[in-house]
Amino acid sequence: MTTLTGYSRPLGVTDDAGVRSPGRTIVLWILQVGAAAMFLAAGVPKLLGAPAMVQMFNAIGIGQWFRYLTGSIEVVAGLSLLVPSVAFYGAIALATTMAGAIATHLFIVGGSAVPAIVLLAVTSVIALLRRPW
């Protein structure tokens, strides 16, 4: 008799080797902690109303509510990168936010989009390595 069981592999277990290598885990945690620090450093000034952030969001033209929304996403999702069970979802939210930031820098406010491009790449790697399937 064949029994079918429906279970998912535990977070951190891969199909190829069975268990994630220690080196890969260390690199992943370095990326997650670094990205979390960067997003906290970017989100907190937005929430506190730093003059440069208020001015930038005035230039975007949507309204200051968008500054609060963006800052909240950066802080909450940035903190979620430090919790392995939800890091995937935080990374997806942040990657989406960075895609919007790149477009905003390129087409509206100007300035360098390089930091947003780097953070998009990092959060995409985190999402890939922390995906739940």
Side-chain angles (χ1 to χ4, degrees):
M1 175 176 187
T2 303
T3 303
L4 298 175
T5 58
Y7 64 91
S8 62
R9 61 189 155 107
L11 187 63
V13 175
T14 61
D15 289 333
D16 54 344
V19 178
R20 179 175 287 149
S21 73
R24 182 176 167 182
T25 300
I26 291 168
V27 169
L28 180 57
W29 272 108
I30 290 170
L31 290 175
Q32 286 176 233
V33 170
M38 295 297 292
F39 282 107
L40 288 172
V44 169
K46 288 178 180 79
L47 294 176
L48 295 178
M53 294 294 109
V54 171
Q55 182 181 7
M56 182 173 71
F57 279 83
N58 277 336
I60 293 171
I62 297 176
Q64 292 301 310
W65 67 270
F66 191 60
R67 174 175 55 88
Y68 288 111
L69 176 66
T70 304
S72 297
I73 290 170
E74 289 175 346
V75 168
V76 172
L79 289 173
S80 78
L81 294 179
L82 303 175
V83 181
S85 62
V86 295
F88 168 78
Y89 303 103
I92 291 295
L94 291 168
T96 304
T97 303
M98 289 302 96
I102 292 166
T104 300
H105 280 286
L106 292 176
F107 302 115
I108 300 173
V109 297
S112 176
V114 172
I117 292 168
V118 170
L119 288 171
L120 172 62
V122 169
T123 53
S124 296
V125 168
I126 292 168
L128 179 67
L129 295 178
R130 286 287 184 194
R131 68 190 184 278
W133 60 89

